[in-house]
Amino acid sequence: MIPTAVTTDPPDIPRLKGRGTPLREQFFRLSLWASLAIGVVFLAGLLTYVVVEGWPRLNPKLWTHFPDIIDPSNAGAQSAITGTIWVISFTALYCLPTGVLTAIYLEEYADRDRWWNRAVEINIQNLAAVPSIVYGILGLGVISRGLGFGQTVLTAALTLSLLVLPIVIISSREAIRAVPQSIRQASLSLGATQWQTIWRQVLPAAVPGMATGSILALSRAIGEAAPLLLLGGLTFITFNPTGVHSQFTVLPIQIFNWISQSRTEFTALASAAIVVLLVILLVMNSLAIWLRNHFTRRW
């Protein structure tokens, strides 16, 4: 007699497709969609109001004329636009190399077992959440008065650099950390030094994330008004900066000045300046998207 194999049926596996979605999951998903819809609707309404309000003043006078308190119809924001470009350019010049080099050191060279490296990492993460007005106080007390730089483009750029530097460091570290370790190991095994591996393999692969984080950090800096007001940024300037030691004004300060005026003509000017500031932000974010798509590598 030949023994027959005993077969056992596999245990029943619960199927999720045939079952309805739990009520709590449906409620949570509905809450997420409602939150997204509320945010988008309010943002669209705000943008529509700003564009409609400032449309009559969106003409070449806005960027070719200087501010004018007496005649709002002839006023422009040339000095504020030029000052914004000066300040954000030097902010990028100061904070981006420092932030990227700090991220390379902390991610590739620093020994995490040493207490001072851990203290530096914790402080960088904490500084990213410090209110911007605190950096304004620091810039006023140390940079403007302590170092004697005064109310200049250099003071504003250094203060904003301190403001966004933790964001640049954190985003650059995340981009470097996202590069697979196998890339580093393969480069080192072929005889490359650690710096050659970082310069030729790690950094090119980390450029998309680093560029995106850096430009988003600069986008935050370009819209800051509180630290610059505390630094003594002038609200009425009828000349363009000529160097880092020139006095300045920027679009957020100019918008604040026009909103503070009692005449309704200045409200249209402020709305038009807000549109210009939004356009600059969109250009910067578009550049970040282009860099990310252009340098992205598939592993």
Side-chain angles (χ1 to χ4, degrees), residues 180-251:
Q181 287 293 334
S182 58
I183 302 297
R184 298 175 174 85
Q185 295 169 0
S187 177
L188 294 173
S189 65
L190 292 175
T193 62
Q194 186 175 6
W195 172 245
Q196 289 174 336
T197 300
I198 295 172
W199 180 253
R200 298 181 181 180
Q201 301 298 327
V202 176
L203 287 182
V207 162
M210 295 168 62
T212 303
S214 299
I215 293 180
L216 291 178
L218 294 177
S219 299
R220 179 192 173 185
I222 203 174
E224 287 289 345
L228 300 184
L229 285 172
L230 191 61
L231 287 175
L234 301 179
T235 58
F236 183 77
I237 286 185
T238 57
F239 58 88
N240 294 323
T242 57
V244 294
H245 297 292
S246 299
Q247 292 183 321
F248 71 98
T249 188
V250 292
L251 279 172

Side-chain angles (χ1 to χ4, degrees), residues 9 50 85 88 142 186 197 200 214 217 222 234-235 252 267 271 290:
D9 295 333
V50 170
I85 296 174
I88 203 64
V142 177
T197 300
R200 298 181 181 180
S214 299
I222 203 174
L234 301 179
T235 58
T267 304
S271 300
W290 180 82

Side-chain angles (χ1 to χ4, degrees), residues 12 31-32 34 43-44 60 68 99 124 129 139 142 145 152 175 190 195 210 223-224 233 237-238 267 271 278-279 298:
D12 294 335
S31 301
L32 292 179
L43 179 60
D68 190 344
I124 290 174
V142 177
R145 297 179 179 176
T152 60
L190 292 175
W195 172 245
M210 295 168 62
E224 287 289 345
I237 286 185
T238 57
T267 304
S271 300
L278 290 176
V279 169
R298 303 292 182 183

Side-chain angles (χ1 to χ4, degrees), residues 60-85:
K61 285 184 179 181
L62 185 64
W63 51 83
T64 59
H65 287 201
F66 290 104
D68 190 344
I69 297 179
I70 300 175
D71 186 10
S73 62
N74 199 40
Q78 184 186 124
S79 57
I81 296 173
T82 308
T84 299
I85 296 174

Side-chain angles (χ1 to χ4, degrees), residues 74-289:
N74 199 40
Q78 184 186 124
S79 57
I81 296 173
T82 308
T84 299
I85 296 174
W86 271 85
V87 170
I88 203 64
S89 299
F90 280 97
T91 300
L93 180 64
Y94 297 146
C95 75
L96 294 188
T98 305
V100 171
L101 291 176
T102 303
I104 293 174
Y105 169 76
L106 291 175
E107 201 63 32
E108 299 291 339
Y109 289 99
D111 185 2
R112 292 181 175 83
D113 294 332
R114 298 184 181 277
W115 66 269
W116 57 80
N117 290 326
R118 294 197 304 270
V120 169
E121 293 183 2
I122 293 173
N123 282 299
I124 290 174
Q125 295 173 2
N126 291 333
L127 288 174
V130 173
S132 59
I133 193 66
V134 177
Y135 289 98
I137 297 172
L138 176 65
L140 178 64
V142 177
I143 301 175
S144 177
R145 297 179 179 176
L147 299 179
F149 291 158
Q151 303 170 356
T152 60
V153 172
L154 180 60
T155 302
L158 290 176
T159 303
L160 293 180
S161 298
L162 294 176
L163 173 65
V164 300
L165 184 60
I167 304 175
V168 175
I169 295 174
I170 293 173
S171 61
S172 299
R173 289 191 65 187
E174 293 295 330
I176 294 173
R177 192 177 303 165
V179 179
Q181 287 293 334
S182 58
I183 302 297
R184 298 175 174 85
Q185 295 169 0
S187 177
L188 294 173
S189 65
L190 292 175
T193 62
Q194 186 175 6
W195 172 245
Q196 289 174 336
T197 300
I198 295 172
W199 180 253
R200 298 181 181 180
Q201 301 298 327
V202 176
L203 287 182
V207 162
M210 295 168 62
T212 303
S214 299
I215 293 180
L216 291 178
L218 294 177
S219 299
R220 179 192 173 185
I222 203 174
E224 287 289 345
L228 300 184
L229 285 172
L230 191 61
L231 287 175
L234 301 179
T235 58
F236 183 77
I237 286 185
T238 57
F239 58 88
N240 294 323
T242 57
V244 294
H245 297 292
S246 299
Q247 292 183 321
F248 71 98
T249 188
V250 292
L251 279 172
I253 295 179
Q254 189 64 67
I255 293 169
F256 173 78
N257 181 30
W258 281 336
I259 288 293
S260 303
Q261 302 295 327
S262 58
R263 285 182 285 179
T264 57
E265 293 86 352
F266 287 105
T267 304
L269 270 172
S271 300
I274 291 173
V275 174
V276 173
L277 183 59
L278 290 176
V279 169
I280 296 175
L281 290 176
L282 288 176
V283 170
M284 294 177 64
N285 291 333
S286 300
L287 178 62
I289 294 172

